[in-house]
Amino acid sequence: MDMSRRGFLALAGAASAMGLAACRGNGKSDKPEDVKVNLNEYKKLAIDDSAWNYDETNDCYYQLGLPYCTDPAAGSYESLAIYVPGAYFKGEKSGDTYRCKIASDARVGSFTPKTAPVVMPINSARLSAQSCPTAYSYEGLGTYLKKGLVYVYAGFRGRSGGYVSDSSEQYSGGAPWPVVDLKAAVRYLRYNAESLPCNAKRLFVFGYGAGGGVSACLGALGDCGIFTPYLSKIGAAMHDADGKSISDRVFGSASWCPITSYDTADSGYEWMMGQFADDGARADGQWTKALSDDLATAYGKLVNELGLTGADDKALKLEPVQDGSYLSGTYYDYMLQTIEGSAEKFFSTTSFPYTYTPGRLVDPAFPGDPNINSDSAVEIDVMTGAVEDASGAGEKDAASAADGTAAASGASSQADSAAAGGNAGTTADGSAAAKSGDAGAGTSAASGVTVVQSTVYNDAESYVSALNGDDRWITYSPSAGGVTITSMWDFVKHCRPAQKGVCAFDALDRSTTSNQLFGVDDESSLHFDETVATLLGDNADKYSDLKGWKDDLVSDWAQDIVKLDSLKTDMQSRVNAMNPLYALSGHYAGFGSCEVAPHWRINTGLFQSATALCADVNLAVALGAYDGVKDVAFTPVWGRGFELAETSGDAQENFVSWVTDCCK
């Protein structure tokens, strides 16, 4: 297993936290060790080499509906499809299918059947269950297969349980089952490695939103002991046909706007954005305003226990200012430098006149399942905050605000809105244009067609002027190429205002998708944030003197966070299973006990308000200090929101190029 180069610093800085974490989760490693096993235990998982289908037009072999575990809870989800470049096989027609042998001398792009990597999408921003494809379409697959990659579309159970088709039998969902199912899919591919034209060690996962968070968990929590009872429950392959243990470590993890680290999601949101808001649930006199401030303070204290270090080995810490807010120190400086660096990259790579068109994430976004088409895809406005207010209720269901016309709550001016989402445009000469749509888009009630407005900035001066509005908070020096931002508060106010309520993830009314993720069977939505539970218990007297307080909130959280799932696993362990930092930070019991992927790509839209930027930064920083991690490409993208954010080019093509580079 790998250990951090700065492990002693992290451990020394969090010794007391380690003692607490040790009693919360199982840090035992499942690093493979060969033992005596039943060699036929997983025989029925073997791929039938005579069952391949062939698309002659596009030269693609494929199989659909392959169960990847021996005892699936929901077969339509716990199965996968494999798509292979035709050149990698020598196929002989046998009835309606083909018997295939690996063409060892083949080459597609820069790969051969022995070197080809496998890529596996996690195709859900909100962690809805992902079914295995039941039909075939080549649309979109060429981006991957023409470059020599093998594409595997694995189903998985999502944030909630459900019922088996044509049955009253219920199957479990929620944490950690999405990660468990995909780990089983990884193990299945390695069990069948000799029959597949690929290097099964070179397996990359990629996703966005909550699916990007799962990608990060798969990357960081390889062979983690938390998952052992779950993998055993569904009959995941633990060894191959020769009795050699199988690892579920992946080779690379890519994500866009990942949602993860749920133990700090609420407090991080308040530290990054919530504490700078003063409306809605964060207005003076509301008890949730006091909770927001307390959560921000709790996050400041937690950062100092994570053992994070910058590239110069300098510890990243937060310090309180005169009013007690943790808005000073090396961690704060690092965050501000990250934001400024993103702006500098934008100006150095952007040609003016610059046309900005708001991007919207469509869920799902990746190919492989023709049953999911543009008619059934969902625009994830709920993730961007475009359909939310600051009412304190957390996330809302996208269907309840399908018209996408709710105004963003934190934009302080027309120009601010233009910077944050394109609400106000500029004409070609740089003058301000009229506001014509929230978040750069509106929906016609008559037609149901979404209209997206582009914004044109004639030069860098007009763009910076639009960002500043009536406040001069950002300056750009064309000659030096430098950007200066006065404070993180100013950046948040103008570009990333809080648009979710206090307890953005673990909502007061248990209404978010995250609450569903930590539900247990019939109790499909539960509280999970231990920090919130502690603050409620400690400060109930203070909160009760303020507006909106309800006495039953304390017991709601206290009762939920002690719930066990069907395998008798406690809530804290389930939260750990959805947190890549569990393996990467000395604050957690799992530190150093897992097999971490060597290659990482993390992109995030810097102007999105679905999560706090600090979650992305923490992950990138922790990875950069971990032995065995060869490279971390972390790109906060200036001007982009909750989407497949890229500084240039197509996201999927960029991902394929990155995979290719990682395999050189």
Side-chain angles (χ1 to χ4, degrees):
M1 68 189 67
D2 295 321
M3 194 68 166
S4 171
R5 294 191 296 272
R6 298 160 197 156
F8 289 109
L9 174 61
L11 288 169
S16 61
M18 281 287 289
L20 176 61
C23 67
R24 287 179 172 173
N26 177 9
K28 181 181 178 182
S29 171
D30 269 6
K31 187 173 181 180
E33 296 179 0
D34 295 337
V35 296
K36 292 183 178 180
V37 294
N38 176 4
L39 299 182
N40 294 319
E41 187 174 1
Y42 306 112
K43 186 176 181 179
K44 70 178 186 178
L45 297 181
I47 287 179
D48 183 353
D49 64 9
S50 67
W52 289 94
N53 301 286
Y54 182 55
D55 174 2
E56 185 174 1
T57 301
N58 296 295
D59 195 19
C60 170
Y61 286 97
Y62 62 95
Q63 288 199 44
L64 310 176
L66 298 170
Y68 55 66
C69 52
T70 61
D71 192 16
S76 61
Y77 298 115
E78 292 162 298
S79 51
L80 55 78
I82 304 176
Y83 306 92
V84 177
Y88 288 164
F89 274 143
K90 293 179 180 178
E92 178 181 343
K93 192 167 180 59
S94 176
D96 294 332
T97 58
Y98 288 78
R99 181 179 297 277
C100 291
K101 294 183 179 180
I102 296 174
S104 58
D105 57 347
R107 177 172 289 273
V108 179
S110 57
F111 297 110
T112 70
K114 289 185 178 180
T115 63
V118 178
V119 294
M120 191 165 71
I122 304 165
N123 204 16
S124 177
R126 290 159 58 84
L127 272 191
S128 300
Q130 178 171 295
S131 297
C132 175
T134 57
Y136 168 77
S137 171
Y138 188 75
E139 183 177 0
L141 294 177
T143 300
Y144 303 87
L145 271 60
K146 288 180 179 179
K147 295 296 185 179
L149 283 59
V150 173
Y151 192 88
V152 173
Y153 195 106
F156 60 85
R157 283 170 287 172
R159 64 179 186 268
S160 299
Y163 291 89
V164 178
S165 298
D166 301 323
S167 170
S168 60
E169 181 181 355
Q170 187 179 37
Y171 63 84
S172 296
W177 288 115
V179 180
V180 172
D181 285 349
L182 290 165
K183 279 176 170 284
V186 170
R187 290 171 174 270
Y188 171 89
L189 295 170
R190 292 193 172 135
Y191 181 83
N192 287 288
E194 296 300 318
S195 300
L196 295 173
C198 63
N199 182 341
K201 293 181 179 180
R202 290 180 168 180
L203 198 150
F204 294 80
V205 290
F206 61 110
Y208 55 103
V214 169
S215 176
C217 289
L218 290 166
L221 304 177
D223 303 324
C224 179
I226 287 178
F227 301 99
T228 302
Y230 295 91
L231 291 167
S232 298
K233 176 71 174 178
I234 63 174
M238 308 301 284
H239 60 80
D240 64 20
D242 295 323
K244 295 181 179 178
S245 295
I246 296 176
S247 171
D248 55 45
R249 180 194 194 189
V250 300
F251 197 61
S253 169
S255 57
W256 292 266
C257 300
I259 298 175
T260 186
S261 297
Y262 291 91
D263 62 328
T264 60
D266 289 316
S267 58
Y269 196 91
E270 297 310 310
W271 181 83
M272 177 76 193
M273 295 176 286
Q275 66 175 317
F276 303 128
D278 57 8
D279 59 350
R282 300 179 180 89
D284 287 341
Q286 297 290 329
W287 84 269
T288 41
K289 169 62 175 176
L291 177 61
S292 171
D293 293 341
D294 289 342
L295 280 168
T297 298
Y299 182 78
K301 294 177 180 178
L302 174 65
V303 163
N304 295 336
E305 298 176 356
L306 291 179
L308 300 175
T309 57
D312 57 358
D313 285 352
K314 188 175 183 179
L316 300 181
K317 298 283 188 178
L318 280 170
E319 299 172 2
V321 294
Q322 71 281 354
D323 66 355
S325 303
Y326 280 77
L327 289 174
S328 182
T330 52
Y331 183 89
Y332 174 88
D333 295 340
Y334 190 92
M335 290 290 297
L336 194 58
Q337 290 165 10
T338 298
I339 296 167
E340 291 175 336
S342 177
E344 289 173 355
K345 185 171 184 178
F346 169 82
F347 283 108
S348 68
T349 58
T350 300
S351 298
F352 288 87
Y354 161 63
T355 301
Y356 169 76
T357 301
R360 282 196 167 182
L361 183 62
V362 175
D363 188 18
F366 305 126
D369 189 349
N371 294 323
I372 303 172
N373 53 40
S374 58
D375 293 331
S376 61
V378 178
E379 288 185 343
I380 307 299
D381 291 331
V382 69
M383 290 302 215
T384 69
V387 298
E388 299 184 63
D389 58 22
S391 66
E395 298 175 31
K396 301 288 190 290
D397 192 296
S400 68
D403 62 2
T405 58
S409 63
S412 61
S413 71
Q414 185 170 312
D416 299 340
S417 298
N423 285 4
T426 60
T427 61
D429 65 359
S431 60
K435 180 178 178 181
S436 63
D438 299 305
T443 301
S444 166
S447 67
V449 175
T450 299
V451 179
V452 178
Q453 176 199 13
S454 294
T455 308
V456 179
Y457 300 94
N458 190 53
D459 49 36
E461 181 180 358
S462 65
Y463 180 72
V464 173
S465 177
L467 288 170
N468 278 323
D470 296 330
D471 304 317
R472 190 177 183 181
W473 63 275
I474 180 171
T475 58
Y476 166 60
S477 171
S479 59
V483 171
T484 301
I485 293 174
T486 54
S487 70
M488 193 172 71
W489 182 88
D490 286 322
F491 165 75
V492 168
K493 173 185 174 183
H494 290 81
C495 299
R496 195 179 178 130
Q499 293 176 340
K500 291 173 180 274
V502 180
C503 295
F505 294 86
D506 191 353
L508 307 184
D509 59 0
R510 304 183 184 92
S511 63
T512 74
T513 55
S514 302
N515 288 123
Q516 293 176 16
L517 179 62
F518 293 101
V520 175
D521 297 330
D522 290 337
E523 296 182 285
S524 60
S525 188
L526 292 174
H527 291 303
F528 58 87
D529 192 326
E530 191 171 282
T531 300
V532 175
T534 299
L535 289 175
L536 293 177
D538 292 346
N539 300 310
D541 290 343
K542 178 178 73 172
Y543 298 153
S544 65
D545 291 333
L546 301 171
K547 295 178 183 178
W549 171 256
K550 295 180 180 179
D551 290 333
D552 57 359
L553 288 170
V554 175
S555 59
D556 285 349
W557 254 274
Q559 291 170 10
D560 284 4
I561 64 171
V562 297
K563 295 286 176 66
L564 304 179
D565 70 4
S566 59
L567 271 67
K568 307 303 180 185
T569 302
D570 62 76
M571 185 68 78
Q572 190 60 43
S573 294
R574 295 174 65 213
V575 172
N576 287 338
M578 305 301 294
N579 182 10
L581 291 187
Y582 177 70
L584 302 172
S585 165
H587 175 69
Y588 300 97
F591 177 61
S593 70
C594 305
E595 300 297 324
V596 181
H599 302 288
W600 290 78
R601 187 180 195 269
I602 306 166
N603 278 32
T604 188
L606 197 59
F607 289 5
Q608 60 100 352
S609 61
T611 62
L613 175 64
C614 47
D616 305 317
V617 169
N618 292 352
L619 176 58
V621 167
L623 287 166
Y626 204 87
D627 276 348
V629 175
K630 294 183 179 180
D631 50 82
V632 182
F634 174 50
T635 307
V637 186
W638 182 268
R640 305 314 307 182
F642 191 84
E643 57 189 286
L644 301 185
E646 298 284 333
T647 55
S648 64
D650 177 81
Q652 297 187 65
E653 291 178 356
N654 291 346
F655 167 71
V656 170
S657 296
W658 173 75
V659 168
T660 301
D661 290 341
C662 291
C663 294
K664 290 181 178 178

